[in-house]
Amino acid sequence: MKDFFKYVAATIVGLIVFGIIMTFFGVLSIVGMISSGQATTNVSKNSVMVLKLDGIMEEQAGSNILGTLTGEQSSALGLQEILSAIKKAKTNENIKGIYIEGGVLASSPASLQEIRNALLDFKKSGKWIVAYADIYTQGTYYIASVADKVWMNPSGQLDWHGMGANPMYVKDLLKKFGVKVQTIKVGKYKSATEMFTEDKMSEANREQTTAYVTGIWQNICKGVSESRKISIDSLNAYADRLITFEDSKNFLKYKMVDALLYTDQVKAEVKKLLELKEDESINQVDVEAMTNVKEETKGEEIAVYYAYGDIVDSPSPQSMLSESHQIVAKDVCADLEKLMNNEDVKAVVIRVNSPGGSAYASEQLWRQIDLLKQKKPVVISMGDYAASGGYYMSCNANWIVAEPTTITGSIGIFGMIPDASELITQKLGVKFDEVKTNRNTTLGTFSRPMNAEEIGYISNYVERGYNLFRKRVADGRKMTIQQVEEVAQGHVFLGQDALKIKLVDELGGLDKAVAKAAQLAKVNEYYTASYPASPDIIEQLLSATKGGTYLDDQARLALGEFYEPVMLLKRVNRMDMVQARLPFFLNIK
């Protein structure tokens, strides 16, 4: 019997040791996989850079450890990585040209414009660009039109339909479930609350929406017209009659493409450009590989800090407009403080891509940027959006750069308090009673709507927030309060229009912002470093385990048809009461 227990114990110990060894080698293999993906790329001679435009465009692609292990990689494209790849390809003697392959790309206009401008700059090197797609979406064609040759599949399509906005209104939907949203806003153009309180656009919102949608389309048409030598009138005529569904041969006739080719023919054409024989292979380098091409770091450091997503006080698993990324005020402030105290960093460019969010968090970000500016130059590079809270945090920088199609401004604030009393008390049958020590003790309760006195208190609070916002803009932009008021009221502007009213200083992309930061820092030779650092392996694996719970399904079963409005209320209730934000994201597809 003793021998039996001895052998059992030995077996158990052996299994434990084996498990430890296998875990060790598993960790080594994970590190090896990640390291191999991040190894320095050596570009072979006579190579072509491949730019595949397919997926969802974000500011940064980031790294997805769990996706690497499971094979379920995200289809997100990183604007930072694409711009870096194009810039390196321009100066790399082994890259002979760029091959663009169109797909279904979801991106906002300013990001498309920045990529297109980077490709135009690439062409100054004398290298070629060619583009091919089975189906060109409007956004991918806008980028591809810069190419020396634009090719399409003989059975393909080219989507060309114009720009539009289609806001959604849920007031009547919520009413069916006994839900109302009480709002207090400052600014006749501040339209973020209309989704919950109206059933159509206000005249003020229609005015500003028409202005920026028209402005974006004019930029797209201007770019395509210049590259393809097609008049803007013709491009508008093509959009009006929806040439998307016409015979592909017509796209040749309209000069929107140069040839209709199958994939084997495209490969043959690229080989000709590379002067390769028919049996030779094409050396391809994708964007990810190009980002790992070593870049010299001579001179002084200019930090580029990426701040994108909803502006929030603290991280939350869900955000009403963006679940992928957030600007968490306390974290960003801590990061900027480190950059402020880092003597190796001579200037900071903050890349802002945000529709806004918490007014309180925006004020904290403003304060930290103000402190940073006192020690070194701060330049804002506006991406697709830098509006409401996104503009609040930006307005005090030394210099602001925006793309012509950046959506910015929206200087205004609103408060939003859901009233679910009818849903809870009448439809769900929940009863409330009340004991209180003071008249307004139960402000914000779900048992009843706010009364006039309570609304008055919140209105005063929102008004003070708006006045502070205007003052921040006035101080930062060297304007009077009255001058700010004339362009405030929640009014949204394109970057090209914001330049005329002094809300931004210059039109351009990240490269211009970096150059301006170096100039302000009086630095002749410089390199850039990106912040904040991507989360390490352990952080990603831990965060990946924080999924949903069985309670989500249980709530859906219990609430039935009331689940969706209750969840909507939950998201609204999670937001700070006072917000400075846009109500939407605008994509070109």
Side-chain angles (χ1 to χ4, degrees):
M1 183 63 72
K2 288 183 179 179
D3 288 342
F4 171 76
F5 285 114
K6 182 172 68 175
Y7 290 134
V8 169
T11 302
I12 293 172
V13 171
L15 288 171
I16 292 172
V17 172
F18 178 75
I20 293 171
I21 292 172
M22 292 306 294
T23 301
F24 175 74
F25 280 110
V27 171
L28 283 181
S29 65
I30 291 173
V31 174
M33 289 169 64
I34 305 307
S35 298
S36 63
Q38 297 175 340
T40 300
T41 299
N42 293 314
V43 180
S44 302
K45 289 182 179 180
N46 206 27
S47 294
V48 60
M49 183 186 127
V50 176
L51 175 55
K52 191 169 184 181
L53 299 175
D54 187 28
I56 301 170
M57 183 70 67
E58 297 182 352
E59 276 294 323
Q60 295 173 297
S63 57
N64 185 344
I65 305 303
L66 197 63
T68 300
L69 297 177
T70 61
E72 297 178 357
Q73 285 282 19
S74 167
S75 60
L77 300 174
L79 178 63
Q80 175 196 357
E81 290 78 10
I82 289 174
L83 297 177
S84 174
I86 295 171
K87 182 179 178 182
K88 290 177 182 178
K90 178 185 176 182
T91 57
N92 191 301
E93 61 182 13
N94 292 327
I95 297 290
K96 302 304 178 185
I98 292 178
Y99 166 72
I100 300 172
E101 187 167 286
V104 180
L105 176 66
S107 178
S108 295
S111 290
L112 298 178
Q113 193 165 36
E114 192 148 9
I115 294 172
R116 196 175 192 279
N117 288 337
L119 290 169
L120 285 169
D121 181 66
F122 172 86
K123 291 179 74 173
K124 294 176 182 177
S125 66
K127 300 179 181 182
W128 48 263
I129 300 177
V130 295
Y132 178 77
D134 296 320
I135 299 175
Y136 284 104
T137 61
Q138 195 162 254
T140 55
Y141 182 75
Y142 173 56
I143 292 177
S145 65
V146 77
D148 301 290
K149 296 292 181 182
V150 178
W151 302 319
M152 189 175 74
N153 190 292
S155 299
Q157 281 185 317
L158 194 160
D159 187 18
W160 191 255
H161 59 271
M163 284 288 297
N166 192 213
M168 179 175 66
Y169 300 90
V170 299
K171 182 185 76 171
D172 291 343
L173 170 66
L174 295 178
K175 186 178 179 181
K176 290 179 180 179
F177 297 98
V179 177
K180 297 177 183 177
V181 177
Q182 297 171 286
T183 61
I184 300 100
K185 69 173 184 175
V186 180
K188 67 177 182 177
Y189 292 96
K190 200 68 181 174
S191 59
T193 61
E194 289 184 5
M195 172 185 180
F196 302 99
T197 61
E198 310 298 328
D199 53 21
K200 64 179 182 179
M201 281 185 176
S202 65
E203 287 305 311
N205 190 31
R206 185 176 298 279
E207 173 196 329
Q208 67 178 356
T209 304
T210 300
Y212 65 69
V213 167
T214 302
I216 291 168
W217 180 241
Q218 288 172 345
N219 271 273
I220 292 172
C221 286
K222 181 175 182 291
V224 173
S225 176
E226 290 173 353
S227 293
R228 300 297 306 170
K229 304 297 185 287
I230 306 170
S231 72
I232 290 176
D233 286 342
S234 294
L235 289 171
N236 277 306
Y238 298 158
D240 285 341
R241 67 172 187 259
L242 208 62
I243 61 170
T244 305
F245 301 105
E246 292 188 11
D247 190 314
S248 57
K249 293 184 180 66
N250 287 347
F251 299 127
L252 278 172
K253 186 170 67 177
Y254 302 150
K255 298 181 180 178
M256 298 194 80
V257 301
D258 297 295
L260 301 175
L261 304 175
Y262 291 103
T263 53
D264 60 300
Q265 295 172 309
V266 170
K267 192 178 295 185
E269 291 296 325
V270 172
K271 285 184 178 182
K272 288 179 186 177
L273 290 169
L274 294 170
E275 298 180 349
L276 294 174
K277 295 177 182 178
E278 189 175 335
D279 59 346
E280 290 183 290
S281 298
I282 299 171
N283 293 324
Q284 303 176 52
V285 187
D286 63 14
V287 168
E288 184 179 1
M290 282 302 300
T291 57
N292 292 327
V293 172
K294 191 174 182 180
E295 194 172 26
E296 290 188 15
T297 55
K298 292 182 180 179
E300 305 289 356
E301 179 182 332
I302 305 295
V304 179
Y305 189 91
Y306 287 84
Y308 55 100
D310 283 353
I311 297 174
V312 297
D313 302 316
S314 56
S316 61
Q318 289 181 329
S319 171
M320 190 171 181
L321 294 176
S322 173
E323 296 182 2
S324 59
H325 205 278
Q326 295 175 326
I327 300 174
V328 182
K330 64 183 183 64
D331 295 340
V332 174
C333 287
D335 290 341
L336 294 181
E337 184 178 9
K338 290 176 184 176
L339 291 176
M340 179 179 72
N341 296 324
N342 187 339
E343 294 182 0
D344 293 332
V345 174
K346 302 306 178 185
V348 178
V349 174
I350 303 176
R351 175 70 174 189
V352 178
N353 196 344
S354 173
S358 163
Y360 174 80
S362 300
E363 167 70 8
Q364 307 315 305
L365 293 164
W366 174 91
R367 169 63 177 170
Q368 189 58 56
I369 290 172
D370 184 59
L371 293 174
L372 175 60
K373 181 178 130 179
Q374 293 173 27
K375 295 195 71 172
K376 57 193 67 174
V378 180
V379 175
I380 298 294
S381 171
M382 292 182 169
D384 299 313
Y385 306 88
S388 295
Y391 190 77
Y392 195 137
M393 66 177 286
S394 304
C395 67
N396 199 34
N398 297 95
W399 196 258
I400 299 176
V401 181
E403 287 287 358
T405 52
T406 294
I407 290 178
T408 188
S410 194
I411 301 165
I413 287 181
F414 66 88
M416 193 159 61
I417 303 94
D419 170 23
S421 56
E422 184 180 335
L423 168 66
I424 293 173
T425 61
Q426 297 182 35
K427 297 186 181 294
L428 296 181
V430 177
K431 304 299 180 186
F432 292 89
D433 207 338
E434 186 175 88
V435 174
K436 59 184 181 180
T437 59
N438 297 89
R439 188 165 64 239
N440 296 301
T441 296
T442 57
L443 169 67
T445 177
F446 270 171
S447 65
R448 60 172 177 80
M450 288 192 301
N451 58 43
E453 182 180 9
E454 291 168 333
I455 290 174
Y457 290 130
I458 296 175
S459 295
N460 291 334
Y461 181 57
V462 170
E463 186 69 37
R464 285 199 306 274
Y466 178 62
N467 291 337
L468 180 60
F469 193 169
R470 285 189 312 178
K471 185 177 188 306
R472 296 308 188 208
V473 175
D475 293 344
R477 303 304 301 163
K478 307 295 187 291
M479 300 165 70
T480 65
I481 295 293
Q482 183 55 42
Q483 286 173 323
V484 174
E485 179 63 15
E486 290 172 3
V487 297
Q489 290 287 321
H491 201 304
V492 173
F493 300 95
L494 287 181
Q496 62 190 22
D497 299 320
L499 178 67
K500 300 171 187 174
I501 55 177
K502 299 181 180 180
L503 292 183
V504 305
D505 298 296
E506 185 179 6
L507 297 180
L510 185 58
D511 56 340
K512 281 195 176 180
V514 170
K516 185 64 180 182
Q519 179 190 341
L520 293 174
K522 298 179 181 178
V523 170
N524 294 322
E525 194 173 33
Y526 59 89
Y527 65 94
T528 60
S530 297
Y531 296 88
S534 299
D536 60 28
I537 297 173
I538 301 302
E539 289 174 326
Q540 289 193 51
L541 289 175
L542 287 175
S543 64
T545 63
K546 297 176 182 178
T549 68
Y550 292 116
L551 296 179
D552 297 332
D553 292 332
Q554 293 298 322
R556 185 181 291 275
L557 288 171
L559 295 174
E561 62 177 323
F562 300 113
Y563 176 81
E564 292 300 335
V566 168
M567 290 302 104
L568 179 60
L569 280 172
K570 185 179 179 182
R571 291 195 296 273
V572 172
N573 197 49
R574 237 188 226 126
M575 296 164 57
D576 287 350
M577 183 181 292
V578 179
Q579 292 278 312
R581 71 161 66 242
L582 282 175
F584 58 83
F585 286 104
L586 183 66
N587 282 332
I588 295 182
K589 296 179 182 178

PDB file of all heavy atoms in Angstrom, residues 434-436 438-445 448 454:
ATOM      1  N   GLU A 434     -41.275  57.053  -0.653  1.00  0.00           N
ATOM      2  CA  GLU A 434     -40.237  58.080  -0.508  1.00  0.00           C
ATOM      3  C   GLU A 434     -40.165  58.606   0.917  1.00  0.00           C
ATOM      4  O   GLU A 434     -41.187  58.848   1.567  1.00  0.00           O
ATOM      5  CB  GLU A 434     -40.549  59.229  -1.481  1.00  0.00           C
ATOM      6  CG  GLU A 434     -39.493  60.301  -1.540  1.00  0.00           C
ATOM      7  CD  GLU A 434     -39.811  61.334  -2.610  1.00  0.00           C
ATOM      8  OE1 GLU A 434     -40.524  62.309  -2.310  1.00  0.00           O
ATOM      9  OE2 GLU A 434     -39.363  61.149  -3.768  1.00  0.00           O
ATOM     10  N   VAL A 435     -38.945  58.737   1.392  1.00  0.00           N
ATOM     11  CA  VAL A 435     -38.657  59.448   2.639  1.00  0.00           C
ATOM     12  C   VAL A 435     -37.458  60.335   2.349  1.00  0.00           C
ATOM     13  O   VAL A 435     -36.473  59.877   1.773  1.00  0.00           O
ATOM     14  CB  VAL A 435     -38.320  58.467   3.790  1.00  0.00           C
ATOM     15  CG1 VAL A 435     -37.875  59.243   5.019  1.00  0.00           C
ATOM     16  CG2 VAL A 435     -39.508  57.587   4.110  1.00  0.00           C
ATOM     17  N   LYS A 436     -37.520  61.609   2.726  1.00  0.00           N
ATOM     18  CA  LYS A 436     -36.399  62.501   2.423  1.00  0.00           C
ATOM     19  C   LYS A 436     -36.275  63.582   3.490  1.00  0.00           C
ATOM     20  O   LYS A 436     -37.253  63.929   4.171  1.00  0.00           O
ATOM     21  CB  LYS A 436     -36.564  63.129   1.041  1.00  0.00           C
ATOM     22  CG  LYS A 436     -37.825  63.943   0.845  1.00  0.00           C
ATOM     23  CD  LYS A 436     -37.919  64.432  -0.603  1.00  0.00           C
ATOM     24  CE  LYS A 436     -39.190  65.271  -0.801  1.00  0.00           C
ATOM     25  NZ  LYS A 436     -39.311  65.750  -2.200  1.00  0.00           N
ATOM     26  N   ASN A 438     -34.771  66.680   2.725  1.00  0.00           N
ATOM     27  CA  ASN A 438     -34.814  67.996   2.105  1.00  0.00           C
ATOM     28  C   ASN A 438     -35.606  67.956   0.798  1.00  0.00           C
ATOM     29  O   ASN A 438     -35.862  66.882   0.246  1.00  0.00           O
ATOM     30  CB  ASN A 438     -33.400  68.523   1.843  1.00  0.00           C
ATOM     31  CG  ASN A 438     -32.613  68.715   3.125  1.00  0.00           C
ATOM     32  OD1 ASN A 438     -31.949  67.792   3.590  1.00  0.00           O
ATOM     33  ND2 ASN A 438     -32.695  69.898   3.707  1.00  0.00           N
ATOM     34  N   ARG A 439     -35.942  69.133   0.297  1.00  0.00           N
ATOM     35  CA  ARG A 439     -36.853  69.236  -0.832  1.00  0.00           C
ATOM     36  C   ARG A 439     -36.352  68.516  -2.084  1.00  0.00           C
ATOM     37  O   ARG A 439     -37.113  67.902  -2.819  1.00  0.00           O
ATOM     38  CB  ARG A 439     -37.120  70.717  -1.134  1.00  0.00           C
ATOM     39  CG  ARG A 439     -38.227  70.922  -2.171  1.00  0.00           C
ATOM     40  CD  ARG A 439     -38.753  72.344  -2.204  1.00  0.00           C
ATOM     41  NE  ARG A 439     -37.738  73.292  -2.622  1.00  0.00           N
ATOM     42  CZ  ARG A 439     -37.307  74.323  -1.896  1.00  0.00           C
ATOM     43  NH1 ARG A 439     -37.801  74.504  -0.673  1.00  0.00           N
ATOM     44  NH2 ARG A 439     -36.393  75.163  -2.350  1.00  0.00           N
ATOM     45  N   ASN A 440     -35.047  68.582  -2.353  1.00  0.00           N
ATOM     46  CA  ASN A 440     -34.506  68.026  -3.608  1.00  0.00           C
ATOM     47  C   ASN A 440     -33.613  66.813  -3.386  1.00  0.00           C
ATOM     48  O   ASN A 440     -32.757  66.494  -4.215  1.00  0.00           O
ATOM     49  CB  ASN A 440     -33.723  69.115  -4.359  1.00  0.00           C
ATOM     50  CG  ASN A 440     -34.624  70.257  -4.795  1.00  0.00           C
ATOM     51  OD1 ASN A 440     -35.582  70.052  -5.525  1.00  0.00           O
ATOM     52  ND2 ASN A 440     -34.325  71.469  -4.325  1.00  0.00           N
ATOM     53  N   THR A 441     -33.834  66.113  -2.298  1.00  0.00           N
ATOM     54  CA  THR A 441     -33.012  64.950  -1.975  1.00  0.00           C
ATOM     55  C   THR A 441     -33.059  63.882  -3.063  1.00  0.00           C
ATOM     56  O   THR A 441     -32.045  63.252  -3.380  1.00  0.00           O
ATOM     57  CB  THR A 441     -33.463  64.333  -0.636  1.00  0.00           C
ATOM     58  OG1 THR A 441     -33.248  65.281   0.403  1.00  0.00           O
ATOM     59  CG2 THR A 441     -32.677  63.060  -0.329  1.00  0.00           C
ATOM     60  N   THR A 442     -34.210  63.686  -3.669  1.00  0.00           N
ATOM     61  CA  THR A 442     -34.378  62.570  -4.614  1.00  0.00           C
ATOM     62  C   THR A 442     -34.192  62.997  -6.078  1.00  0.00           C
ATOM     63  O   THR A 442     -34.729  62.358  -6.989  1.00  0.00           O
ATOM     64  CB  THR A 442     -35.769  61.929  -4.438  1.00  0.00           C
ATOM     65  OG1 THR A 442     -36.779  62.934  -4.611  1.00  0.00           O
ATOM     66  CG2 THR A 442     -35.888  61.284  -3.073  1.00  0.00           C
ATOM     67  N   LEU A 443     -33.437  64.045  -6.305  1.00  0.00           N
ATOM     68  CA  LEU A 443     -33.137  64.467  -7.679  1.00  0.00           C
ATOM     69  C   LEU A 443     -32.511  63.304  -8.459  1.00  0.00           C
ATOM     70  O   LEU A 443     -31.585  62.654  -7.993  1.00  0.00           O
ATOM     71  CB  LEU A 443     -32.155  65.637  -7.657  1.00  0.00           C
ATOM     72  CG  LEU A 443     -31.532  66.027  -9.005  1.00  0.00           C
ATOM     73  CD1 LEU A 443     -32.590  66.589  -9.937  1.00  0.00           C
ATOM     74  CD2 LEU A 443     -30.410  67.030  -8.811  1.00  0.00           C
ATOM     75  N   GLY A 444     -33.032  63.029  -9.658  1.00  0.00           N
ATOM     76  CA  GLY A 444     -32.468  61.977 -10.508  1.00  0.00           C
ATOM     77  C   GLY A 444     -33.079  60.610 -10.296  1.00  0.00           C
ATOM     78  O   GLY A 444     -32.669  59.649 -10.942  1.00  0.00           O
ATOM     79  N   THR A 445     -34.090  60.504  -9.442  1.00  0.00           N
ATOM     80  CA  THR A 445     -34.714  59.203  -9.226  1.00  0.00           C
ATOM     81  C   THR A 445     -35.468  58.742 -10.467  1.00  0.00           C
ATOM     82  O   THR A 445     -35.975  59.563 -11.239  1.00  0.00           O
ATOM     83  CB  THR A 445     -35.693  59.261  -8.038  1.00  0.00           C
ATOM     84  OG1 THR A 445     -36.333  57.991  -7.905  1.00  0.00           O
ATOM     85  CG2 THR A 445     -36.758  60.326  -8.239  1.00  0.00           C
ATOM     86  N   ARG A 448     -39.883  59.248 -10.964  1.00  0.00           N
ATOM     87  CA  ARG A 448     -40.670  60.379 -11.476  1.00  0.00           C
ATOM     88  C   ARG A 448     -39.777  61.252 -12.362  1.00  0.00           C
ATOM     89  O   ARG A 448     -38.544  61.205 -12.283  1.00  0.00           O
ATOM     90  CB  ARG A 448     -41.205  61.224 -10.318  1.00  0.00           C
ATOM     91  CG  ARG A 448     -40.084  61.797  -9.435  1.00  0.00           C
ATOM     92  CD  ARG A 448     -40.599  62.789  -8.403  1.00  0.00           C
ATOM     93  NE  ARG A 448     -39.515  63.247  -7.541  1.00  0.00           N
ATOM     94  CZ  ARG A 448     -38.632  64.194  -7.881  1.00  0.00           C
ATOM     95  NH1 ARG A 448     -38.703  64.778  -9.073  1.00  0.00           N
ATOM     96  NH2 ARG A 448     -37.686  64.557  -7.035  1.00  0.00           N
ATOM     97  N   GLU A 454     -35.915  71.478 -10.196  1.00  0.00           N
ATOM     98  CA  GLU A 454     -34.719  70.670 -10.438  1.00  0.00           C
ATOM     99  C   GLU A 454     -34.124  70.982 -11.813  1.00  0.00           C
ATOM    100  O   GLU A 454     -32.899  71.098 -11.961  1.00  0.00           O
ATOM    101  CB  GLU A 454     -35.080  69.190 -10.337  1.00  0.00           C
ATOM    102  CG  GLU A 454     -35.435  68.759  -8.917  1.00  0.00           C
ATOM    103  CD  GLU A 454     -36.066  67.380  -8.864  1.00  0.00           C
ATOM    104  OE1 GLU A 454     -36.686  66.962  -9.863  1.00  0.00           O
ATOM    105  OE2 GLU A 454     -35.965  66.720  -7.800  1.00  0.00           O
TER     106      GLU A 454
END
